[in-house]
Amino acid sequence: MVEDSNSLFKSKKPNVFERYRDDQLSKKRGAFFVRLAIYIYTLLMAVLRYSRAESDKLKRIEKNKTIYVYETQNQKRALSVLYKEDKEKHTLSFHHFYSADSSLNEVLPLILGLISLPYYVIYFLFFDFKHRILIDKYLISFGYYLYFRFFLPVNVTNVVVANDHTERLRAFAHACKTRSIKITYVQHSPVNSAFPPLNLYDISMLDGQSSLDTYMNTGPVLGEVILSGAIRNFFLKTDVDLVCEHDRKTFGIGINTLVDVKKLTGLVGDISNKHPDHKVIIRLHPSQMKEHSMFSSIFDSELIHVSGAWEQSTMEFINTIDVLFAGSSSIHLDALAAGVLAVMVDIDTEFSDYYLFQQRGCVIAFCDFLNLDVSRYTDVCACSIDKARYYDFALGMNSTQQQVILKNCLNKIKENKSPQVL
């Protein structure tokens, strides 16, 4: 479970993971104790955070409800379109700060994980050097598996998850399989070759053929596969005729922790020189909250605004711009789903068309954008959407077409129920 949930040790992996692994391994036993300390800290925070009333919520899950499980805001977004239409739903969050019908009290799973501590201490310190930096993930997986194997209410027969690779959710999925509980997987972001095989789910709802091809190259694909399109983007404004319905004159730049500030500064300068009357919004990644003031001081201008994912959702950001500029990121597909022109730019420390968006024509290169007249944005965006359907089957569909897909997916989920098991 742990190795499947971590791309650090796969044969194919991004350089950033290689650097992280090498950095952790260079610390030898120190990294082991740091990760163990983080686990203990997480347990102590769970004890302080949860009340007894919250810890009893799982016991009150009603029979015949479909349980939608998530542990991040992005996963919740991936499932919300489905469960908002499902009258027989019950939402379960693995973290208290993502509102749900039930919030998991992590105290018991984490305490159960400590049962395995003596074994892993001996094993990692004396036998397996490579994986010792993942000690906390081994403990979490062990604890979550035991918890859901024996403490999940007996009337649960059907669950839906939106992640296939984190240790918590994979442990949960393994526990469900052990108890013969039917489980549906809904893709919440683009997948790559470092993801684990698609082998735990009765039904898998994937964004498009690209996702299925990736999983088939990773390992055996078990269960039924449905190319549903990116359900998380359903019912957004997808009619490309509306992309220039008003003169916003605003460009957006999506960045992350890999951004090269010097390259970003050059990009902003090139955009401003080409379109001096346009406003530019630079949107920071959720993990860049502490860097907000630094970027704000660097880009101190009336026409340049620095925002963050913690104050503006992805779609709120995209719905305020005419053009999106970003490196190799799935945010390009979010932009196309809303009918916004997507442009690939070299602003990261290492430029890479990781998802092959540019190679397949789903985005345009920055040099082509510089020669593009505003009147052609809509036509070029429409062409990009056609080519991007390899990644998102439902891209460009209207709300009626999306409603049909959603109804079919919900029917599949409701049919995917196991008899009540003890």
Side-chain angles (χ1 to χ4, degrees), residues 232-248:
R232 59 192 175 277
N233 289 331
F234 279 17
F235 311 124
L236 300 173
K237 182 181 64 178
T238 56
D239 188 344
V240 294
D241 293 335
L242 300 179
V243 69
C244 293
E245 63 181 356
H246 63 282
D247 190 13
R248 285 179 292 207

PDB file of all heavy atoms in Angstrom, residues 232-248:
ATOM      1  N   ARG A 232     -15.646  16.705 -12.294  1.00  0.00           N
ATOM      2  CA  ARG A 232     -15.435  17.873 -11.438  1.00  0.00           C
ATOM      3  C   ARG A 232     -15.655  19.190 -12.187  1.00  0.00           C
ATOM      4  O   ARG A 232     -15.895  20.230 -11.564  1.00  0.00           O
ATOM      5  CB  ARG A 232     -14.016  17.839 -10.869  1.00  0.00           C
ATOM      6  CG  ARG A 232     -12.937  17.821 -11.943  1.00  0.00           C
ATOM      7  CD  ARG A 232     -11.567  17.507 -11.380  1.00  0.00           C
ATOM      8  NE  ARG A 232     -10.542  17.382 -12.422  1.00  0.00           N
ATOM      9  CZ  ARG A 232     -10.323  16.278 -13.117  1.00  0.00           C
ATOM     10  NH1 ARG A 232     -11.054  15.215 -12.899  1.00  0.00           N
ATOM     11  NH2 ARG A 232      -9.376  16.241 -14.039  1.00  0.00           N
ATOM     12  N   ASN A 233     -15.564  19.154 -13.516  1.00  0.00           N
ATOM     13  CA  ASN A 233     -15.722  20.373 -14.313  1.00  0.00           C
ATOM     14  C   ASN A 233     -17.090  20.479 -14.977  1.00  0.00           C
ATOM     15  O   ASN A 233     -17.304  21.378 -15.790  1.00  0.00           O
ATOM     16  CB  ASN A 233     -14.633  20.447 -15.389  1.00  0.00           C
ATOM     17  CG  ASN A 233     -13.259  20.733 -14.800  1.00  0.00           C
ATOM     18  OD1 ASN A 233     -13.146  21.373 -13.764  1.00  0.00           O
ATOM     19  ND2 ASN A 233     -12.222  20.257 -15.460  1.00  0.00           N
ATOM     20  N   PHE A 234     -18.006  19.577 -14.642  1.00  0.00           N
ATOM     21  CA  PHE A 234     -19.333  19.631 -15.248  1.00  0.00           C
ATOM     22  C   PHE A 234     -20.065  20.906 -14.813  1.00  0.00           C
ATOM     23  O   PHE A 234     -19.917  21.379 -13.692  1.00  0.00           O
ATOM     24  CB  PHE A 234     -20.156  18.409 -14.848  1.00  0.00           C
ATOM     25  CG  PHE A 234     -19.847  17.175 -15.665  1.00  0.00           C
ATOM     26  CD1 PHE A 234     -18.691  17.085 -16.418  1.00  0.00           C
ATOM     27  CD2 PHE A 234     -20.722  16.099 -15.675  1.00  0.00           C
ATOM     28  CE1 PHE A 234     -18.399  15.954 -17.157  1.00  0.00           C
ATOM     29  CE2 PHE A 234     -20.453  14.957 -16.417  1.00  0.00           C
ATOM     30  CZ  PHE A 234     -19.287  14.889 -17.160  1.00  0.00           C
ATOM     31  N   PHE A 235     -20.866  21.407 -15.753  1.00  0.00           N
ATOM     32  CA  PHE A 235     -21.751  22.562 -15.533  1.00  0.00           C
ATOM     33  C   PHE A 235     -20.992  23.873 -15.345  1.00  0.00           C
ATOM     34  O   PHE A 235     -21.528  24.849 -14.830  1.00  0.00           O
ATOM     35  CB  PHE A 235     -22.700  22.313 -14.348  1.00  0.00           C
ATOM     36  CG  PHE A 235     -23.392  20.991 -14.440  1.00  0.00           C
ATOM     37  CD1 PHE A 235     -23.305  20.074 -13.407  1.00  0.00           C
ATOM     38  CD2 PHE A 235     -24.112  20.653 -15.573  1.00  0.00           C
ATOM     39  CE1 PHE A 235     -23.926  18.837 -13.506  1.00  0.00           C
ATOM     40  CE2 PHE A 235     -24.737  19.409 -15.672  1.00  0.00           C
ATOM     41  CZ  PHE A 235     -24.652  18.509 -14.636  1.00  0.00           C
ATOM     42  N   LEU A 236     -19.735  23.892 -15.764  1.00  0.00           N
ATOM     43  CA  LEU A 236     -19.042  25.163 -15.892  1.00  0.00           C
ATOM     44  C   LEU A 236     -19.434  25.754 -17.236  1.00  0.00           C
ATOM     45  O   LEU A 236     -20.063  25.101 -18.067  1.00  0.00           O
ATOM     46  CB  LEU A 236     -17.521  24.961 -15.842  1.00  0.00           C
ATOM     47  CG  LEU A 236     -16.972  24.323 -14.561  1.00  0.00           C
ATOM     48  CD1 LEU A 236     -15.496  24.045 -14.737  1.00  0.00           C
ATOM     49  CD2 LEU A 236     -17.205  25.234 -13.375  1.00  0.00           C
ATOM     50  N   LYS A 237     -19.036  26.982 -17.479  1.00  0.00           N
ATOM     51  CA  LYS A 237     -19.326  27.595 -18.771  1.00  0.00           C
ATOM     52  C   LYS A 237     -18.412  26.965 -19.811  1.00  0.00           C
ATOM     53  O   LYS A 237     -17.209  27.197 -19.815  1.00  0.00           O
ATOM     54  CB  LYS A 237     -19.087  29.102 -18.703  1.00  0.00           C
ATOM     55  CG  LYS A 237     -19.415  29.833 -19.987  1.00  0.00           C
ATOM     56  CD  LYS A 237     -19.136  31.315 -19.860  1.00  0.00           C
ATOM     57  CE  LYS A 237     -17.654  31.542 -19.641  1.00  0.00           C
ATOM     58  NZ  LYS A 237     -17.335  32.992 -19.557  1.00  0.00           N
ATOM     59  N   THR A 238     -18.985  26.125 -20.697  1.00  0.00           N
ATOM     60  CA  THR A 238     -18.160  25.404 -21.659  1.00  0.00           C
ATOM     61  C   THR A 238     -18.408  25.823 -23.104  1.00  0.00           C
ATOM     62  O   THR A 238     -17.747  25.339 -24.008  1.00  0.00           O
ATOM     63  CB  THR A 238     -18.432  23.900 -21.555  1.00  0.00           C
ATOM     64  OG1 THR A 238     -19.830  23.666 -21.737  1.00  0.00           O
ATOM     65  CG2 THR A 238     -18.016  23.363 -20.202  1.00  0.00           C
ATOM     66  N   ASP A 239     -19.331  26.712 -23.340  1.00  0.00           N
ATOM     67  CA  ASP A 239     -19.618  27.156 -24.697  1.00  0.00           C
ATOM     68  C   ASP A 239     -18.537  28.148 -25.124  1.00  0.00           C
ATOM     69  O   ASP A 239     -18.442  29.253 -24.611  1.00  0.00           O
ATOM     70  CB  ASP A 239     -20.996  27.831 -24.757  1.00  0.00           C
ATOM     71  CG  ASP A 239     -21.435  28.141 -26.187  1.00  0.00           C
ATOM     72  OD1 ASP A 239     -20.558  28.110 -27.070  1.00  0.00           O
ATOM     73  OD2 ASP A 239     -22.628  28.406 -26.399  1.00  0.00           O
ATOM     74  N   VAL A 240     -17.702  27.763 -26.102  1.00  0.00           N
ATOM     75  CA  VAL A 240     -16.583  28.624 -26.484  1.00  0.00           C
ATOM     76  C   VAL A 240     -17.053  29.937 -27.091  1.00  0.00           C
ATOM     77  O   VAL A 240     -16.283  30.897 -27.168  1.00  0.00           O
ATOM     78  CB  VAL A 240     -15.650  27.896 -27.477  1.00  0.00           C
ATOM     79  CG1 VAL A 240     -14.976  26.728 -26.809  1.00  0.00           C
ATOM     80  CG2 VAL A 240     -16.400  27.438 -28.724  1.00  0.00           C
ATOM     81  N   ASP A 241     -18.306  29.998 -27.542  1.00  0.00           N
ATOM     82  CA  ASP A 241     -18.813  31.252 -28.091  1.00  0.00           C
ATOM     83  C   ASP A 241     -18.932  32.331 -27.022  1.00  0.00           C
ATOM     84  O   ASP A 241     -19.037  33.516 -27.334  1.00  0.00           O
ATOM     85  CB  ASP A 241     -20.193  31.041 -28.729  1.00  0.00           C
ATOM     86  CG  ASP A 241     -20.114  30.159 -29.965  1.00  0.00           C
ATOM     87  OD1 ASP A 241     -19.024  30.127 -30.582  1.00  0.00           O
ATOM     88  OD2 ASP A 241     -21.109  29.505 -30.301  1.00  0.00           O
ATOM     89  N   LEU A 242     -18.899  31.931 -25.733  1.00  0.00           N
ATOM     90  CA  LEU A 242     -19.063  32.892 -24.650  1.00  0.00           C
ATOM     91  C   LEU A 242     -17.733  33.361 -24.071  1.00  0.00           C
ATOM     92  O   LEU A 242     -17.702  34.196 -23.189  1.00  0.00           O
ATOM     93  CB  LEU A 242     -19.898  32.273 -23.525  1.00  0.00           C
ATOM     94  CG  LEU A 242     -21.319  31.821 -23.894  1.00  0.00           C
ATOM     95  CD1 LEU A 242     -21.990  31.211 -22.672  1.00  0.00           C
ATOM     96  CD2 LEU A 242     -22.145  32.982 -24.420  1.00  0.00           C
ATOM     97  N   VAL A 243     -16.633  32.835 -24.597  1.00  0.00           N
ATOM     98  CA  VAL A 243     -15.351  33.136 -23.978  1.00  0.00           C
ATOM     99  C   VAL A 243     -15.007  34.623 -24.025  1.00  0.00           C
ATOM    100  O   VAL A 243     -14.350  35.142 -23.150  1.00  0.00           O
ATOM    101  CB  VAL A 243     -14.224  32.297 -24.618  1.00  0.00           C
ATOM    102  CG1 VAL A 243     -13.960  32.727 -26.046  1.00  0.00           C
ATOM    103  CG2 VAL A 243     -12.947  32.394 -23.801  1.00  0.00           C
ATOM    104  N   CYS A 244     -15.465  35.307 -25.061  1.00  0.00           N
ATOM    105  CA  CYS A 244     -15.184  36.745 -25.169  1.00  0.00           C
ATOM    106  C   CYS A 244     -16.480  37.543 -25.087  1.00  0.00           C
ATOM    107  O   CYS A 244     -16.654  38.545 -25.775  1.00  0.00           O
ATOM    108  CB  CYS A 244     -14.446  37.049 -26.475  1.00  0.00           C
ATOM    109  SG  CYS A 244     -12.789  36.360 -26.555  1.00  0.00           S
ATOM    110  N   GLU A 245     -17.396  37.082 -24.233  1.00  0.00           N
ATOM    111  CA  GLU A 245     -18.694  37.731 -24.140  1.00  0.00           C
ATOM    112  C   GLU A 245     -18.588  39.143 -23.561  1.00  0.00           C
ATOM    113  O   GLU A 245     -19.446  39.974 -23.767  1.00  0.00           O
ATOM    114  CB  GLU A 245     -19.639  36.894 -23.297  1.00  0.00           C
ATOM    115  CG  GLU A 245     -19.197  36.731 -21.848  1.00  0.00           C
ATOM    116  CD  GLU A 245     -20.152  35.869 -21.056  1.00  0.00           C
ATOM    117  OE1 GLU A 245     -21.184  35.474 -21.599  1.00  0.00           O
ATOM    118  OE2 GLU A 245     -19.851  35.607 -19.885  1.00  0.00           O
ATOM    119  N   HIS A 246     -17.507  39.405 -22.834  1.00  0.00           N
ATOM    120  CA  HIS A 246     -17.278  40.761 -22.378  1.00  0.00           C
ATOM    121  C   HIS A 246     -15.774  41.022 -22.374  1.00  0.00           C
ATOM    122  O   HIS A 246     -14.972  40.099 -22.355  1.00  0.00           O
ATOM    123  CB  HIS A 246     -17.868  40.993 -20.984  1.00  0.00           C
ATOM    124  CG  HIS A 246     -17.250  40.149 -19.919  1.00  0.00           C
ATOM    125  ND1 HIS A 246     -17.568  38.823 -19.745  1.00  0.00           N
ATOM    126  CD2 HIS A 246     -16.320  40.443 -18.973  1.00  0.00           C
ATOM    127  CE1 HIS A 246     -16.877  38.336 -18.731  1.00  0.00           C
ATOM    128  NE2 HIS A 246     -16.100  39.289 -18.248  1.00  0.00           N
ATOM    129  N   ASP A 247     -15.410  42.259 -22.421  1.00  0.00           N
ATOM    130  CA  ASP A 247     -14.006  42.636 -22.574  1.00  0.00           C
ATOM    131  C   ASP A 247     -13.333  42.699 -21.214  1.00  0.00           C
ATOM    132  O   ASP A 247     -13.221  43.754 -20.601  1.00  0.00           O
ATOM    133  CB  ASP A 247     -13.915  43.999 -23.280  1.00  0.00           C
ATOM    134  CG  ASP A 247     -12.488  44.330 -23.696  1.00  0.00           C
ATOM    135  OD1 ASP A 247     -11.650  43.406 -23.657  1.00  0.00           O
ATOM    136  OD2 ASP A 247     -12.220  45.477 -24.046  1.00  0.00           O
ATOM    137  N   ARG A 248     -12.864  41.569 -20.724  1.00  0.00           N
ATOM    138  CA  ARG A 248     -12.254  41.528 -19.404  1.00  0.00           C
ATOM    139  C   ARG A 248     -10.852  42.128 -19.404  1.00  0.00           C
ATOM    140  O   ARG A 248     -10.425  42.736 -18.451  1.00  0.00           O
ATOM    141  CB  ARG A 248     -12.200  40.080 -18.893  1.00  0.00           C
ATOM    142  CG  ARG A 248     -13.530  39.560 -18.445  1.00  0.00           C
ATOM    143  CD  ARG A 248     -13.441  38.130 -17.976  1.00  0.00           C
ATOM    144  NE  ARG A 248     -13.152  37.217 -19.082  1.00  0.00           N
ATOM    145  CZ  ARG A 248     -13.508  35.943 -19.093  1.00  0.00           C
ATOM    146  NH1 ARG A 248     -14.156  35.442 -18.066  1.00  0.00           N
ATOM    147  NH2 ARG A 248     -13.224  35.156 -20.116  1.00  0.00           N
TER     148      ARG A 248
END
